[in-house]
Amino acid sequence: MKTVFIDGSAGTTGLRIYDRLSTRPELKLVTLPDAVRKDPEKRAEALNSCDLAFLCLPDAAAMEAAAMVTNPDVVLLDTSTAHRTNPQWAYGFPELSKEFADKVRASRRIAVPGCHASGFIALVYPLVAAGYLDADVLLTCHSLTGYSGGGKKMIADYRAEGRSSLYDAPRQYGLTQQHKHLREMKAVTGLANEPIFCPIVADFYSGMEVTVPLFASQLKKKASISELQTFYNNWYQGMLVRCAAEPDEDGMLSANAFSGKDTMTIFVTGNDERLLLTARYDNLGKGASGAAIECMNLVLGLDPATGLET
């Protein structure tokens, strides 16, 4: 039986990971009483005594926690932004390639992808790797997400009695183009430039869709919509990431359709001149806790979808 400690189990991602793992008989969860949950000595003891630890913490606290670990056998899975562009950490999106999957399986340090970044990278990485896009291509990305991605404070704001009417409509943020996922989006895809990124939060709990618009002329190799669909189908052949032939919602895509799921579906739409590449998934699933558990499963030699909602 493997022991698992969740450092930061009171946060949105930590709570969801705890709920999912608490029903798995092959795992034993190590917990700290609330009175000592933030005690550095107790945390360090728990971190070094477990087999696997999830870091569900702000960036600075995640780096501090990682530095506490002196036991070389402990596997760390960090859900924060802190280590996602650190080459010494495996990037936890195994579907991208065999190399990504093998590094996750073998690593003791795994950075779980960001929610917005997951969709962008799933769409763009294969096109750059296969030579459809130049690394110096200039891209734009739109991302529509549920409010749970903002953590406890944003959840409380959206659920507050007498809240401002401003919360009734979608709200764009990241207006200064300094969003914390941008470095990751550039680094993992191999792009020379960060995309223009337009994240939007709306009044639904969870789910998201990330869209990258392209002019067909930006593709180095000419490809039709059906050819790109076939390309993504060949690239992503597992259970958790798939390409769908076309939307099945009267020509629309609902961003919360995958709420509660751990899968991601890619759509290629548009026409001969202008393309829309869209990834749809749950910001709390494949965009957070589901991705973290998938990586843990690989480390343990299990089917990556074990315990996930597909």
Side-chain angles (χ1 to χ4, degrees), residues 3-272:
T3 56
V4 178
F5 175 59
I6 304 170
D7 196 4
S9 59
T12 306
T13 300
L15 282 170
R16 188 152 183 179
I17 291 174
Y18 180 89
D19 289 343
R20 289 163 173 255
L21 299 187
S22 62
T23 59
R24 291 181 54 168
E26 77 275 23
L27 302 174
K28 178 183 178 182
L29 291 176
V30 176
T31 59
L32 293 176
D34 285 344
V36 296
R37 183 168 52 84
K38 296 184 179 181
D39 183 290
E41 289 187 11
K42 296 296 184 182
R43 286 174 58 218
E45 182 180 338
L47 284 165
N48 283 284
S49 64
C50 66
D51 294 303
L52 302 101
F54 290 90
L55 306 182
C56 303
L57 303 161
D59 289 4
M63 289 188 282
E64 178 187 65
M68 291 179 179
V69 179
T70 56
N71 181 348
D73 295 325
V74 174
V75 176
L76 293 182
L77 299 106
D78 183 11
T79 68
S80 81
T81 312
H83 299 102
R84 291 175 187 160
T85 59
N86 185 334
Q88 296 179 339
W89 288 61
Y91 188 74
F93 202 129
E95 291 87 356
L96 292 178
S97 72
K98 182 178 183 300
E99 289 73 23
F100 276 86
D102 288 346
K103 191 170 182 180
V104 169
R105 287 189 184 93
S107 183
R108 291 290 181 268
R109 298 291 181 269
I110 301 164
V112 179
C115 56
H116 296 288
S118 293
F120 179 82
I121 290 166
L123 296 169
V124 175
Y125 175 86
L127 296 180
V128 175
Y132 280 97
L133 289 176
D134 278 320
D136 62 358
V137 67
L138 299 177
L139 298 177
T140 299
C141 177
H142 299 270
S143 185
L144 177 60
T145 183
Y147 59 78
S148 59
K152 284 187 170 182
K153 183 182 184 304
M154 185 173 285
I155 292 171
D157 288 344
Y158 267 89
R159 292 179 170 179
E161 244 183 88
R163 72 181 192 183
S164 167
S165 61
L166 294 176
Y167 289 85
D168 297 343
R171 297 186 299 153
Q172 187 169 329
Y173 62 105
L175 302 179
T176 62
Q177 291 300 301
Q178 299 295 320
H179 194 282
K180 64 182 182 178
H181 289 182
L182 282 168
R183 288 179 63 240
E184 172 187 0
M185 293 157 80
K186 174 186 172 183
V188 178
T189 56
L191 291 174
N193 305 286
E194 295 172 347
I196 297 175
F197 181 42
C198 306
I200 300 167
V201 61
D203 190 13
F204 60 97
Y205 182 69
S206 72
M208 70 190 311
E209 58 189 26
V210 175
T211 299
V212 177
L214 280 179
F215 286 105
S217 59
Q218 289 178 285
L219 295 173
K220 291 172 62 180
K221 297 186 288 186
K222 188 176 180 180
S224 66
I225 288 174
S226 61
E227 287 170 338
L228 286 175
Q229 290 171 340
T230 299
F231 168 75
Y232 281 118
N233 268 318
N234 291 334
W235 196 278
Y236 295 118
Q237 297 185 2
M239 180 184 295
L240 297 177
V241 181
R242 316 179 182 98
C243 182
E246 59 185 34
D248 55 2
E249 302 153 30
D250 296 324
M252 297 185 182
L253 282 173
S254 175
N256 72 345
F258 281 17
S259 181
K261 300 290 186 181
D262 295 304
T263 53
M264 174 187 287
T265 296
I266 288 170
F267 299 91
V268 182
T269 56
N271 55 45
D272 291 341

